[in-house]
Structures are given as structure tokens and as C-alpha cells.
Amino acid sequence: MEHTESHPFDGKAFVRHLTTSPGVYRYFDAEDELLYVGKAANLKKRVGNYFLKPPMDPRIASMVSQIARAEVTLTRTAGEALLLESQLIKSLKPRYNIVLRDDKSYPYIYLSGGEDYPRLAFHRGAKSGPGRYFGPYPSTFAVRESLGLMQKLFKVRQCEDSYFRNRSRPCLQHQIGRCSAPCVKLIEVDDYRSDVRHAEMFLEGRSSAVIDELAGSMEKASAALNFERAATLRDQVAALRKLQAQHFVQGASADMDVIACCLEGGMACVSVLFFRNGVSLGSRDFFPSLPTDASVSDVLSQFIAQYYLERQVPRELVLSDPVEDVDVLAGVLSEHAGYAVSIKTSVRGERARFLEMAQRNASAALTSRLASRHTLLARFDDLQKVLELDATPRRIECFDISHTRGEATVASCVVFGPEGPEKSHYRRFNISGITPGDDYAAMHQALTRRFKKVVEGGAKPDILLIDGGTGQVAQAMDVLRELGVEGVRMVGVAKGPGRRAGEETLVLAESGRTLHPGTSSPALHLVAAVRDEAHRFAISGHRRRREAARERSTLEDVAGVGARRRAALLKAFGGLAGVEAAGVEELMSVKGIDRGLAERIYAMLHP
């Protein structure tokens, strides 16, 4: 076969044939791995900056030196280029781009619809149910806090429908004054709907209108000599005014987010203060992954594009630093939202105070994150010294086994790097085909399944931690030997005397030596943290598997008994115990159950 020599990428020649249209460009390395995605209002001019105007900063120079090929996608407008760039960064996660690592959906408050007695509830996920959704809120704590206030102020039910329909007397929430007990009709439908309407107005930010209405009702009740009702309304108005004083922000627009970024030590923190309808909903900190030498402007621009193009956008964004192409960004957000969105950096008065608050939050959060990161790096360095490694380990994996007397055995594998736990690489293995309670066999099966992936080209750990002593370590050694995996330092973590933390023994697989680093050892702190995380991950997986197995009905094993027939049987006999006590003739009395099927059911339940 003729060998074809690869040629370095000619960036100048590539730029020479580019158009001046807006679009998105992508750089790939020799292994065809995506290095970078960028947008441009003028592709020829923007891409030319990489190849026609040296020198450049170290980060860009390093990336350009690795480029083996480039691609472009033309768009009609700069706004379309911004959208496409954001989508590609989030889906492909290029090495040299800033990536916002936050895919969790945000929580809402859900007010059900189509009922005489609607409920307020915490909600996360698809908004498919009838009713209204208020939010999103920055955290589950903010939602829980708001729901607690709703209970105190308006006494709207929050219980599940199944619980609500089966009540015969008021629950504890009514007894402590947090629910008007619609389940047992202690409140008329019209009065309850009035409470729901007030709660809805409050969640919309119209607390002043609610206070005015309640104050009017209080005066009418007082004039009618209904002093008990007037006193109740008086207390409700007082509580609302107190809450309004705590949460209403003078000078805040109806919908505004204040965003500050702090950059230090190769890490970034973006802190966001959320305001909706003039009410502060709290704050949240984000830590996007970013390449070396990224600027605050870059971080803010990418954060806004990636974060708000998938969420409801407020009408005003206040930023700590200016960003490039701010007009394009505002235009895209406005089109996405369906109303005008303004982006401001120079603000005065209350907005300046909010911005200062966001900057302090970002700085404090980043300081805390850096401190924990430095601690973790020090532990990795100490582990290198304790284990006498040639270099600081980059990937640690730990395995653990969990079961209850051999039932529902689950093995866990957790992964740690110098940045901390890498949860996207965690794995669980449901163990089967072994003698119940045989931890050695379970460990052997889990390790075999994991390291077959290594043989096939998957990521290989630098250190493999095994929760256990020489027996578990021997199983791990056998697996790696059978699969031909080399270059993995294996360490057993045996519990110390009295199972006291800090007295663990490290068992080195290759030499058989044992180490006792002691309670003050940073390396042992790291090992213990990884081991404890593997233990937690295994137990949570085992509990879910065990509960799923126990919730599974024996009827599911009977051929011909689907979900509908199973439900009919359980309903007819009041549960599985009733089905087990029934004879063949009684089983046949249930619609859809003939003699043959009844006999099969009886045989399955009476082996």
C-alpha cells in the first residue's frame, strides 16, 4: 500500500477562498476531534484573524498549531450564526470553547387546573399538565420556601390528588392553620377559588393588589360586625405586608437578571441574581468549563447564549462587563422571547447596588471553589508520593459492592479526577448469575464488564481502588490478568481496627505491601472520600433495585396477565393477598379471566 504523507493545514489558503457572509466555523485536529466552534458576521475577516495576524495569545497559538482541517456553515444573519454556535457548543463540547455545565431543568410552582379545588405543587420537567406554571426558580429551596409561604398566607392545598380524594377528616396541615381542608368540604368552592386567585396574583407579583382586595374585604366584614372574619383578614394583610417588605426590591424592573463574572486561577464563576415581577427570587452560581486565557467578556457572552436560548428570558439583563456583538445577542434573545430584551452594563442607583452584590457573590463563590480545588490537588500530589508514582494520577476509579443478604446485588464504579468527581463517568452494574452474597464473584463480574471496555479502547484509570482487603484485590488482579490490561496501579482499601475512619490500610496489589498513611494524610483523605462515594453510589443503586423487585407483583410472571387484568384482579380481591386466597372459580368471576388463565394464576400463587 502506498503511504500518503499528511500535509499541515494551510490556513492562509483556506481563508483566501472564504466568503464574507455570516456563519459558523469549526476547527478539527489530526484525529478529527473538534477543537473549536466560532461564529462570525464576516467569515473571511474573522477566520483570517487566526492565520493572517500573528502573534497571538498562547491559548489561540496552541489551538492553531493543532488544526488539521476546518469547516464553515453559512447562515443568513449574524443572529442565526449565534444560535447555531450555541447549539454546536452545547451538543459537541469542543475542547477550546467555554461550555456551560448545567443541564438540569429548573423547578417551577405548578397550579393545577380543571378542578374545584386546585393544588399548588413543586414541579420539574415537561409542562404538560393542565394549569399554570410559575417560574423558573433558581433552586428547589426557592420553590419550597415560596410554597411554604403560600400555605401560611392562602391555605391552598398542596397534597397529592390520591391523598386528597381519600380523606375522611382534616389532616395535620389544617390543624396547624396551613390548609382550609377542602378535602372534607370545610370551605365552599367559591371561597376556595378566591384564595386560589389571590395566590395566583401573588405569584404573578401583584401582591399590592392582593393586599388592597383583602383590606377591602376586611372593612366589609368589620362593618357587618363579623369581627372574627375581619381579624383573620387583618392578620393575612399584615403577613403580606411583612413579606412584601422582605422581598420587594425598590428600583428592580418587573423582570430582570443581574449577571456578574469573576475569573481567577483558570476558573470562572458566573453569579446571577433573579428578579421577577419586582420580587427577588434569589441567586445561583455557575462554574462553566473554559479554556486557558478566556476573558470575562467571552465567558459572559457564551453563558448568555447557552443559558437563555433554552429558557424564559427576562426583559432586562444587567452585566458586570461589556460583551462583543451585544446588539446581535440582544436581537437574538428578543426574537427568542417574543418581546424586546435589553442588555446593559453601565447602570446607576439600585441596579448598580444589585450588580455589586452579584460581583461579591461571584468572587466569594469562586474563592471557595478554588480553595476546595487546591485542597484536592494537594491530595492528588500527596497520593502520588505515598504510592511512589512517576506522575500525579489523572483518573482514579473505585469499585464497591452492595446487597442485602445477597438480594439485588449492585456494583458501583465512581471516577475522580483533579477537578473532583466526574459523575458523567459513574457506572452501576446489576450483578446476576452468582451465588447470593458472594462478594468476590460480584467484584469479578463487575470488573470484567468494566475493563472489557478498556480493552475495546475505553478510558483506563491510573489508579484502581478496591473497597476491601487482599481477597478483593486478588479478584481484581485476576480480571486484569485475564484481559491483558496493564499500566493500572491497583490499591485495596481495608478498614482499620474498629472500623475507625483514618486508620484504613492500603494494600498494594503488585508488591503485596501494606501502607498505613494515618489520620493526617491528605492522600488517605482522598482515598477515603473516593471510597465513601463508591459506597454511597452502590447503596443507592441497590436500594432502588431492591425496592423495584419488591414492588413487582407475582402476577407479572403469569403469561396472559397484563397490566389491565392485573389491575382488575387486585381491585376485585383488594390486593395480592386476596388474589392468593381466591380459588379458581372465584378468579373466573373477574372479567377477562377464563378457566385456563385462572388455573395458571392459581398454580403460580400456590407452587
Side-chain angles (χ1 to χ4, degrees), residues 250-252 256 258 260 273 275 316 318-320 345-360:
Q250 296 295 332
M256 176 179 73
V258 180
L273 303 181
F275 300 99
E316 184 179 349
V318 178
L319 310 185
S320 61
T345 53
S346 298
V347 291
R348 294 180 295 177
E350 290 296 325
R351 283 169 175 74
R353 186 173 64 81
F354 301 148
L355 192 54
E356 182 186 1
M357 187 189 309
Q359 289 172 319
R360 287 202 306 269

Side-chain angles (χ1 to χ4, degrees), residues 163-377:
Y163 184 83
F164 173 76
R165 287 192 294 264
N166 293 293
R167 294 297 301 176
S168 59
R169 58 180 180 177
C171 67
L172 179 63
Q173 293 298 321
H174 173 72
Q175 296 175 32
I176 63 175
R178 294 195 172 194
C179 181
S180 53
C183 54
V184 291
K185 305 297 189 294
L186 291 187
I187 183 172
E188 297 295 331
V189 172
D190 290 342
D191 292 338
Y192 187 83
R193 285 179 177 169
S194 178
D195 289 340
V196 169
R197 185 171 61 82
H198 286 150
E200 197 169 2
M201 291 169 64
F202 181 82
L203 288 169
E204 290 172 347
R206 296 190 287 151
S207 56
S208 295
V210 177
I211 291 173
D212 291 342
E213 283 194 19
L214 292 175
S217 298
M218 178 181 66
E219 290 175 2
K220 290 179 182 179
S222 179
L225 305 182
N226 188 350
F227 299 118
E228 185 176 351
R229 171 67 175 161
T232 301
L233 291 169
R234 178 203 61 201
D235 294 343
Q236 196 171 7
V237 169
L240 273 168
R241 289 196 185 282
K242 182 179 179 182
L243 180 68
Q244 191 180 54
Q246 291 173 345
H247 286 265
F248 192 80
V249 183
Q250 296 295 332
S253 67
D255 294 292
M256 176 179 73
D257 285 356
V258 180
I259 308 170
C261 177
C262 186
L263 200 60
E264 184 182 345
M267 294 185 70
C269 175
V270 177
S271 186
V272 185
L273 303 181
F274 301 88
F275 300 99
R276 296 294 181 270
N277 299 307
V279 175
S280 171
L281 298 183
S283 66
R284 183 164 182 179
D285 300 321
F286 301 83
F287 298 91
S289 62
L290 67 162
T292 308
D293 298 333
S295 68
V296 169
S297 177
D298 293 336
V299 175
L300 284 173
S301 178
Q302 291 295 338
F303 172 83
I304 292 169
Q306 295 180 44
Y307 183 78
Y308 287 107
L309 288 175
E310 293 187 353
R311 294 174 174 84
Q312 181 181 357
V313 189
R315 294 182 180 275
E316 184 179 349
L317 298 178
V318 178
L319 310 185
S320 61
D321 296 84
V323 297
E324 292 185 7
D325 302 324
V326 65
D327 293 335
V328 173
L329 191 57
V332 170
L333 293 178
S334 299
E335 185 177 348
H336 169 70
Y339 45 77
V341 175
S342 63
I343 300 177
K344 303 176 181 178
T345 53
S346 298
V347 291
R348 294 180 295 177
E350 290 296 325
R351 283 169 175 74
R353 186 173 64 81
F354 301 148
L355 192 54
E356 182 186 1
M357 187 189 309
Q359 289 172 319
R360 287 202 306 269
N361 286 348
S363 178
L366 185 58
T367 299
S368 176
R369 178 64 68 97
L370 284 170
S372 62
R373 184 191 187 198
H374 291 155
T375 300
L376 190 61
L377 290 173

Side-chain angles (χ1 to χ4, degrees), residues 307-583:
Y307 183 78
Y308 287 107
L309 288 175
E310 293 187 353
R311 294 174 174 84
Q312 181 181 357
V313 189
R315 294 182 180 275
E316 184 179 349
L317 298 178
V318 178
L319 310 185
S320 61
D321 296 84
V323 297
E324 292 185 7
D325 302 324
V326 65
D327 293 335
V328 173
L329 191 57
V332 170
L333 293 178
S334 299
E335 185 177 348
H336 169 70
Y339 45 77
V341 175
S342 63
I343 300 177
K344 303 176 181 178
T345 53
S346 298
V347 291
R348 294 180 295 177
E350 290 296 325
R351 283 169 175 74
R353 186 173 64 81
F354 301 148
L355 192 54
E356 182 186 1
M357 187 189 309
Q359 289 172 319
R360 287 202 306 269
N361 286 348
S363 178
L366 185 58
T367 299
S368 176
R369 178 64 68 97
L370 284 170
S372 62
R373 184 191 187 198
H374 291 155
T375 300
L376 190 61
L377 290 173
R379 290 179 176 181
F380 267 80
D381 290 340
D382 191 55
L383 184 61
Q384 175 194 355
K385 296 174 184 176
V386 169
L387 299 182
E388 300 176 352
L389 304 176
D390 294 332
T392 302
R394 305 295 300 174
R395 183 184 177 101
I396 299 175
E397 293 188 11
C398 183
F399 283 75
D400 190 26
I401 307 294
S402 181
H403 59 80
T404 302
R405 298 186 182 89
E407 177 190 3
T409 302
V410 170
S412 70
C413 170
V414 301
V415 182
F416 270 60
E419 298 294 331
E422 299 180 4
K423 295 191 176 183
S424 62
H425 296 165
Y426 283 18
R427 294 293 181 269
R428 289 194 184 101
F429 304 92
N430 290 334
I431 305 300
S432 59
I434 65 169
T435 302
D438 189 343
D439 286 356
Y440 290 168
M443 182 66 73
H444 192 282
Q445 183 180 131
L447 289 166
T448 300
R449 290 163 62 181
R450 164 66 184 99
F451 281 91
K452 277 184 177 179
K453 299 293 185 182
V454 173
V455 174
E456 295 168 2
K460 182 170 67 174
D462 299 314
I463 297 176
L464 174 60
L465 298 179
I466 303 296
D467 186 28
T470 55
Q472 284 86 348
V473 170
Q475 289 293 325
M477 289 291 290
D478 290 344
V479 170
L480 268 60
R481 204 175 292 117
E482 291 168 7
L483 297 175
V485 176
E486 298 179 348
V488 177
R489 181 65 63 90
M490 192 181 308
V491 180
V493 186
K495 295 179 176 62
R499 305 172 70 90
R500 288 190 295 269
E503 298 183 2
E504 291 88 351
T505 298
L506 303 184
V507 182
L508 306 186
E510 291 84 355
S511 63
R513 285 196 304 130
T514 59
L515 303 176
H516 303 275
T519 57
S520 61
S521 168
L524 189 59
H525 295 163
L526 172 62
V527 168
V530 178
R531 187 269 320 274
D532 292 344
E533 175 68 353
H535 190 54
R536 179 202 64 80
F537 196 56
I539 286 177
S540 61
H542 158 64
R543 286 174 177 167
R544 278 204 292 270
R545 188 182 182 196
R546 183 186 62 193
E547 289 166 6
R550 290 178 178 177
E551 290 173 0
R552 186 172 182 273
S553 171
T554 311
L555 295 173
E556 295 182 38
D557 296 326
V558 182
V561 178
R564 188 171 299 176
R565 285 176 176 165
R566 188 164 60 250
L569 283 165
L570 295 172
K571 183 177 180 180
F573 296 101
L576 186 60
V579 179
E580 292 175 344

Side-chain angles (χ1 to χ4, degrees), residues 11-12 46-58 60-61 64:
K12 294 182 179 180
R46 181 72 185 91
V47 177
N49 288 337
Y50 290 95
F51 305 104
L52 304 179
K53 294 183 178 180
M56 57 188 71
D57 66 65
I60 301 300
V64 170

Side-chain angles (χ1 to χ4, degrees), residues 11-22:
K12 294 182 179 180
F14 180 75
V15 172
R16 200 174 300 130
H17 297 93
L18 277 180
T19 175
T20 57
S21 298

